Amino acid sequence: MSEQDLWQTFEGIVKAKLANAPGCHDYAHTLRVLHNAELLLQTETGADSFVVRTAALFHDFARPEELASNGKDDHAQLGADLVRIELEQLNCEPDFVDHVTSCIRTHRYRGKLVPESLEAKIVYDADKLDSTGAFGIARAFHFAGRIGACLHNTAEEAVNSSAYGKNDSAYREYLVKLRHLPEKMLTVSGRELAKERAAFMDEFFTRLNNEAGL
């Protein structure tokens, strides 16, 4: 099977798997991560672009299982295992399968495994970039609304809130995670893009606080 035919098959598999996924981790999110990965590939020279693009496309393959288990299943670990099965059934080369699944296994922000290859670092950064800037804000509010959290609160209320609680607002996500993403990036170009997008988030939440009188 040609690379182009493989890619079309990959797209169909992932699109079907994520058809009913929530907005924060649906197929549209996957396409944005893929776009981010392609941006990084323009400057992070030496990476295997097909490995990066494939891993970016499959990175959230096990999100439905993680959601169904209320977080007990690690979507990065389980995803790597499930994607291995899919790729092997398509008779992909063993080295390619190993490399792609390694990228998936290490892409999680809260994961214990550290991306080592350049390809894995690009996939990690591409995923984190969708949590910065305008889409980072949009996704944070989408998630907060989905769990029934308040629209906005004080910094004290936000940081002292438990996950999935009433005060687990978009502002809490910004304070505990999103604003720290630039320093967590693993590539030079990823860090530069994240800094630019983080500045927009900072401006947004500063204005939100001002308009709320906080």
Side-chain angles (χ1 to χ4, degrees):
M1 190 180 297
S2 70
E3 191 171 291
Q4 183 178 355
D5 289 338
L6 266 179
W7 182 255
Q8 291 177 344
T9 301
F10 293 165
E11 287 180 317
I13 292 170
V14 176
K15 190 172 184 178
K17 182 68 181 293
L18 300 180
N20 298 313
C24 287
H25 298 102
D26 58 3
Y27 188 62
H29 161 69
T30 290
L31 292 181
R32 292 194 302 272
V33 171
L34 177 60
H35 172 68
N36 290 335
E38 290 169 341
L39 284 177
L40 297 179
L41 281 168
Q42 294 176 15
T43 51
E44 299 298 327
T45 58
D48 185 321
S49 62
F50 195 55
V51 167
V52 170
R53 293 174 67 241
T54 301
L57 186 68
F58 277 103
H59 81 281
D60 266 351
F61 196 66
R63 276 288 181 180
E65 285 82 358
E66 182 175 277
L67 288 170
S69 70
N70 292 319
K72 292 180 181 179
D73 288 331
D74 182 336
H75 77 278
Q77 302 297 321
L78 179 58
D81 294 338
L82 295 178
V83 171
R84 175 176 291 279
I85 294 172
E86 296 286 346
L87 298 184
E88 288 178 345
Q89 288 178 342
L90 291 169
N91 296 317
C92 293
E93 293 293 330
D95 287 347
F96 174 77
V97 175
D98 288 345
H99 205 163
V100 168
T101 54
S102 176
C103 292
I104 295 170
R105 198 179 302 278
T106 60
H107 85 273
R108 190 176 185 182
Y109 176 77
R110 295 180 176 88
K112 296 179 181 180
L113 300 177
V114 179
E116 295 182 356
S117 69
L118 177 57
E119 289 80 4
K121 292 176 181 178
I122 291 173
V123 173
Y124 176 94
D125 282 5
D127 185 39
K128 305 307 159 288
L129 283 171
D130 199 49
S131 293
T132 61
F135 267 105
I137 294 170
R139 293 177 68 205
F141 275 101
H142 181 282
F143 176 79
R146 207 172 83 229
I147 65 172
C150 61
L151 180 64
H152 192 51
N153 47 10
T154 67
E156 182 179 6
E157 290 170 334
V159 298
N160 289 322
S161 169
S162 58
Y164 295 87
K166 185 68 176 177
N167 280 312
D168 190 3
S169 61
Y171 190 36
R172 178 181 184 272
E173 180 72 355
Y174 169 73
L175 291 174
V176 303
K177 176 184 176 182
L178 305 187
R179 63 175 174 168
H180 301 297
L181 287 177
E183 64 197 59
K184 302 292 185 181
M185 294 291 167
L186 302 176
T187 66
V188 173
S189 51
R191 197 171 300 115
E192 291 174 352
L193 282 170
K195 285 181 179 179
E196 177 187 351
R197 296 184 185 189
F200 175 79
M201 290 192 295
D202 181 62
E203 180 182 352
F204 174 86
F205 282 106
T206 296
R207 178 161 182 167
L208 194 65
N209 283 331
N210 288 339
E211 291 185 6
L214 299 178

